[in-house]
Amino acid sequence: MMTCSTSHRLKMRADKSLLRQKFLKKWVKLLQLYTSSEKLATVIERKKLIELSADVALASARGGTTRWSRALIASAFKDSHDKTPCCANGGERTLHESITRKITSKKVLQRIRGGASKEAQASSSNRIPASSIAKRLVKKRTKLLKKIVPGGESMDNVSLISETLDYIISLRAQIDVMRSLVYLSGHLDA
Amino acid sequence: MSSRRSRQSSSLGPSSRISDDQIADLLSKLRQLLPEIHDNRRSSKVSASKVLQETCNYIRSLHREVDDLSQRLTQLLTTIDADSPEAAIIRSLILQ
């Protein structure tokens, strides 16, 4: 019993570390594409590059096995002529053009921030059974979640939950790596 | 753009017979990932709407954190030069 959960935890930790490594590798590769680029003059553009490349790297670390990652990569290619989404290891040149175009355009790249409309809940009557209120809440929040998770709009409820699980794990890996990088860079110019 | 490719969901039955148990199981896994704000509410019954709400809030806070970290890393970008010591360190990180 104990050994079961311990080995499970160990495996999860190994998976986590593997994910972080994959993400870091791909991300640095993408960032290196821009070392000599003079196009990224402004701080805003540089930040957009970091965010966009981090997202693409994170998504491609999944190797196309999850829908959120495919949707994320697809949206990175949205403005490019070549509409075929592909993993970063295959299409770095195309990705490069697409990212450059996205970053130097006036449109700011928005993360899907779950911009749900604040629809008022019609709870005026006190005759509404609790179960239907609960159902409505679940429906409303499911809708919200669908907007937040990339590609969520086209998922059924069960896929939505499992995709969300994977998405959260990936986001945490991304944050871990970025935090380590911030720590590193802060301690290098000593 | 949003393809309707079906996932390899061999562990789940046909979509018309997805049981509440499976959803509850997924929801509880999700709940385990969320930061535990309400420790005293460890009821065995998972409130779906609560989990969904906490999930949305959590993902949004994760997004904000990535945004903040990206901001701070903007300085770093200028130094990712092939010959810089920073690049060497990053390289050694990856090539372990």
Side-chain angles (χ1 to χ4, degrees), chain A residues 5 43 91-92 99 111-112 120 144 178 183:
Chain A
S5 74
V43 175
E92 266 155 7
I99 288 182
R111 272 184 198 274
I112 301 174
L144 187 53
M178 289 174 93
Y183 176 82

Side-chain angles (χ1 to χ4, degrees), chain A residues 21 24-25 27-28 31-32 35 40 43 46-47 49-51 55 65-67 70 74 78 83 111-114 134 137-138 141-142 144-145 148-149 153-155 158-159 161-165 167-169 171-172 174-175 178-179 181-182 184-185 188-189, chain B residues 1-7 12 18 23 26-27 29-35 48-50 52-53 55-78 80-82 85-87 89-91 93-96:
Chain A
Q21 282 180 46
L24 180 58
K25 268 194 192 146
W27 189 32
V28 172
L31 289 176
Q32 279 174 342
T35 20
L40 300 177
V43 175
R46 271 188 255 148
K47 178 176 179 235
L49 166 68
I50 289 181
E51 271 185 309
D55 280 350
T65 55
T66 57
R67 271 155 80 168
R70 294 198 292 264
K78 212 166 42 163
K83 291 235 181 222
R111 272 184 198 274
I112 301 174
R113 293 238 180 238
L137 262 183
V138 170
R141 286 172 184 171
T142 306
L144 187 53
L145 185 60
I148 294 179
V149 174
E153 305 277 5
S154 63
M155 294 181 200
V158 179
S159 309
I161 301 179
S162 55
E163 289 272 337
T164 303
L165 275 168
Y167 184 51
I168 290 181
I169 292 175
L171 277 179
R172 303 219 293 212
Q174 184 183 42
I175 288 176
M178 289 174 93
R179 253 199 228 132
L181 222 46
V182 167
L184 258 186
S185 66
L188 283 177
D189 349 295
Chain B
M1 184 87 60
S2 56
S3 62
R4 287 209 143 254
R5 280 180 274 176
S6 54
R7 277 162 45 93
L12 303 171
I18 302 238
I23 295 188
L26 283 173
L27 277 179
K29 286 209 178 98
L30 192 51
R31 191 174 165 222
Q32 280 167 37
L33 279 182
L34 302 176
S49 72
K50 186 78 181 166
L52 287 172
Q53 182 188 40
T55 304
C56 292
N57 292 341
Y58 185 47
I59 295 184
R60 264 185 272 179
S61 80
L62 290 178
H63 282 170
R64 276 196 300 265
E65 188 152 6
V66 173
D67 189 69
D68 172 63
L69 289 170
S70 307
Q71 185 68 45
R72 297 208 268 169
L73 282 175
T74 313
Q75 304 294 334
L76 181 67
L77 188 64
T78 49
I80 299 192
D81 177 30
E86 289 87 0
I89 293 182
I90 294 177
R91 250 196 303 263
L93 265 182
I94 298 174
L95 297 176
Q96 43 161 296

